[in-house]
Amino acid sequence: MTDISLSAVPITVTDIDAALGFYRDALGLAVVGDVPAGDHRWVSLALGTGPTIVLSDPGAGRSVEDGRALAELVTKGTGPGPYILATDDLDGAFSRARDAGADVVQEPADQPWGPRDCAFRDPSGNLIRIQAL
């Protein structure tokens, strides 16, 4: 068994400040890093004791062409993801996110493949599923 673990999950967003309204304010994640780099920026948010989420724009660390292609996918809602988070208080997390104005895709429900989960779209269109632990 290896001792390698997941450290960070990159999520591409089209507007980092709008994304912070979702990840920090609606989901309650804590900002642990905010690194400007020229015209770009990487914002890290803590997920408990696990990996961090790292928000960046489509052009951060990519060629202009790749950034445009990724931006189109994210804007269409077909970009990387879905991203699956977990909590021991699914109903509470759902209520806080919904009440904060998050774009609800699915209210908490038991899924035929096992977990009870809910889903939101972040302001960029990324699909975020949250499942019960």
Side-chain angles (χ1 to χ4, degrees):
M1 181 99 169
T2 181
D3 62 352
I4 295 174
S5 61
L6 183 62
S7 175
V9 177
I11 298 181
T12 302
V13 296
T14 55
D15 181 331
I16 289 183
D17 290 320
L20 279 172
F22 175 76
Y23 292 97
R24 181 192 57 208
D25 304 334
L27 296 186
L29 305 182
V31 174
V32 295
D34 191 339
V35 180
D39 294 335
H40 305 287
R41 180 175 161 208
W42 285 265
V43 176
S44 301
L45 299 117
L47 284 172
T49 59
T52 58
I53 287 176
V54 181
L55 304 175
S56 64
D57 64 80
R62 297 179 181 86
S63 69
V64 171
E65 180 179 275
D66 288 348
R68 283 188 193 132
L70 184 54
E72 288 179 25
L73 292 173
V74 170
T75 302
K76 287 172 34 180
T78 58
Y83 300 96
I84 302 172
L85 308 178
T87 180
D88 58 1
D89 181 14
L90 179 65
D91 292 312
F94 174 79
S95 294
R96 286 188 299 278
R98 180 197 58 210
D99 294 349
D103 180 13
V104 175
V105 174
Q106 174 211 302
E107 294 191 10
D110 293 323
Q111 298 298 340
W113 58 87
R116 182 167 186 271
D117 70 359
C118 63
F120 298 92
R121 288 229 180 253
D122 75 8
S124 297
N126 292 298
L127 182 59
I128 307 298
R129 300 196 74 85
I130 304 174
Q131 65 184 21
L133 288 174

